[in-house]
């Protein structure tokens, strides 16, 4: 990276509106070694909290030169977009148009919201904290602090049923960004066994499944649980005496209007 062009903080549009899938921005940083560029603002989620980074494409406005974006990462306050291929990188000051692989992103949004519903049910009904988790577009896992005696096939079936009941209630998903001091007055805001929030942050982003779950979270979600469909527990595993894993997959919801409405939403 050219030190003469230290990139400014990236405006994270996805934090305020996860439905945006197109952005017009300006190149403000270049890292030749990793073939990555920084933009004034982005709709690309850089990964974190078990959710992988977005993929998509960038097109230079001036000449329609197009690059794939196979991965995105965040370093400090700057989001770096890796560009595929061998073509020369854009230059600082170039205007570009970024487009997400929306089908993949929307699948991850549905999966992430499903995991929050699962977490909300397990915490509400059994008092278990999350010890780990990861997700892809098609399958996800979540680990809970739960004793072996409680982790029975009957309990797993009960968790699945109760989670699907909550999804079917069409609960709104609300996002807020608030001062750190205000956020930490909320009881049980941190649902993981270990608090992963950096000490130095001044604001906390929260995601609420209305009437069920409220926790600190930086990822992308759908707007209502009816967009998720239903979840199915497809695997279980004991990762220790008090660490139990649920693996889930989702059905595709019959009503796909929300996905269609989100297409080509530009900042």
């Amino acid at each position: 990276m050219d030190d003469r062009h230290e990139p400014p903080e990236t405006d994270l549009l996805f934090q305020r509106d996860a439905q945006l899938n197109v952005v017009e921005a300006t190149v403000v940083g270049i890292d030749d070694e990793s073939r990555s560029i920084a933009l004034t603002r982005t709709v690309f989620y850089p990964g974190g909290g078990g959710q992988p980074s977005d993929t998509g494409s960038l097109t230079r406005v001036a000449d329609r030169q197009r690059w794939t974006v196979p991965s995105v990462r965040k370093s400090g306050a700057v989001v770096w977009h890796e560009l595929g291929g061998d073509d020369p990188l854009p230059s600082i000051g170039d205007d570009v148009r970024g487009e997400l692989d929306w089908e993949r992103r929307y699948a991850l949004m549905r999966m992430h919201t499903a995991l929050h519903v699962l977490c909300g049910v397990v915490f509400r009904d059994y008092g278990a904290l999350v010890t780990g988790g990861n997700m892809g577009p098609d399958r996800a896992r979540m680990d809970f602090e739960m004793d072996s005696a409680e982790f029975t096939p009957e309990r797993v079936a009960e968790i699945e049923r109760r989670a699907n009941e909550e999804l079917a209630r069409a609960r709104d998903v609300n996002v807020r960004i608030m001062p750190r001091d205000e956020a930490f007055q909320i009881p049980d805001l941190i649902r993981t066994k270990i608090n992963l929030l950096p000490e130095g942050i001044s604001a906390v982003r929260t995601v609420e499944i209305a009437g069920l779950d409220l926790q600190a979270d930086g990822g992308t979600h759908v707007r209502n649980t009816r967009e998720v469909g239903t979840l199915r527990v497809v695997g279980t595993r004991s990762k220790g005496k008090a660490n139990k894993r649920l693996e889930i997959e989702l059905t595709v919801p019959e009503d796909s209007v929300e996905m269609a409405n989100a297409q080509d939403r530009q900042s």
Side-chain angles (χ1 to χ4, degrees):
M1 183 177 65
D2 188 340
D3 291 335
R4 293 173 300 175
H5 297 288
E6 186 67 27
E9 180 177 353
T10 309
D11 185 7
L12 308 178
L13 299 176
F14 59 82
Q15 284 201 336
R16 302 189 295 276
D17 187 353
Q19 299 294 320
L20 297 174
N21 70 340
V22 177
V23 63
E24 291 185 352
T26 302
V27 178
V28 292
I30 299 173
D31 184 346
D32 290 302
E33 184 176 351
S34 65
R35 283 189 57 82
S36 301
I37 64 171
L39 304 175
T40 49
R41 56 185 188 161
T42 190
V43 294
F44 287 80
Y45 182 66
Q51 180 177 337
S53 74
D54 285 328
T55 60
S57 65
L58 283 175
T59 302
R60 184 161 48 204
V61 173
D63 60 1
R64 310 305 297 169
Q65 171 69 47
R66 183 179 181 275
W67 295 265
T68 60
V69 180
S71 68
V72 186
R73 72 183 190 280
K74 190 168 185 282
S75 178
V78 179
V79 173
W80 292 95
H81 307 73
E82 179 188 341
L83 303 187
D86 300 319
D87 291 329
L89 299 177
S91 300
I92 288 179
D94 282 354
D95 293 325
V96 296
R97 175 185 171 93
E99 297 185 47
L100 297 179
D101 176 346
W102 178 251
E103 183 176 354
R104 178 178 180 275
R105 156 67 94 77
Y106 190 73
L108 287 166
M109 289 163 60
R110 291 175 54 236
M111 190 67 77
H112 202 159
T113 300
L115 288 177
H116 275 230
V117 170
L118 184 66
C119 173
V121 166
V122 172
F123 183 78
R124 179 195 66 191
D125 296 347
Y126 312 108
L129 293 173
V130 174
T131 57
N134 208 342
M135 74 191 79
D138 303 314
R139 192 180 180 109
R141 66 167 175 83
M142 184 160 276
D143 301 341
F144 295 97
E145 187 179 36
M146 188 176 292
D147 289 335
S148 297
E150 300 174 326
F151 196 66
T152 63
E154 293 76 18
R155 172 63 57 82
V156 171
E158 184 177 66
I159 291 171
E160 179 184 271
R161 176 179 59 79
R162 292 182 179 182
N164 281 319
E165 288 173 353
E166 296 300 337
L167 288 169
R169 288 192 168 97
R171 296 184 182 275
D172 287 334
V173 182
N174 304 310
V175 174
R176 286 188 62 197
I177 299 175
M178 62 183 72
R180 181 188 179 97
D181 291 344
E182 179 184 346
F184 276 87
Q185 293 177 16
I186 300 173
D188 303 316
L189 180 70
I190 308 301
R191 293 295 176 82
T192 52
K193 186 172 176 60
I194 300 174
N195 184 350
L196 301 176
L197 290 179
E199 287 292 334
I201 61 172
S202 59
V204 175
R205 182 177 182 268
T206 63
V207 173
E208 177 192 27
I209 311 293
L212 174 66
D213 184 69
L214 173 62
Q215 58 181 292
D217 182 78
T220 59
H221 292 264
V222 295
R223 291 175 290 191
N224 188 283
T225 59
R226 71 182 177 88
E227 298 178 53
V228 173
T230 59
L231 67 82
R232 183 166 64 97
V233 177
V234 295
T236 62
R237 187 177 302 181
S238 177
K239 303 294 290 182
K241 181 180 179 181
N243 190 22
K244 302 299 181 284
R245 174 170 296 176
L246 296 176
E247 299 174 356
I248 68 167
E249 293 179 353
L250 302 180
T251 64
V252 177
E254 293 181 4
D255 183 2
S256 59
V257 172
E258 295 295 339
M259 180 176 178
N261 286 346
Q263 291 297 321
D264 296 327
R265 286 202 62 212
Q266 183 172 326
S267 62

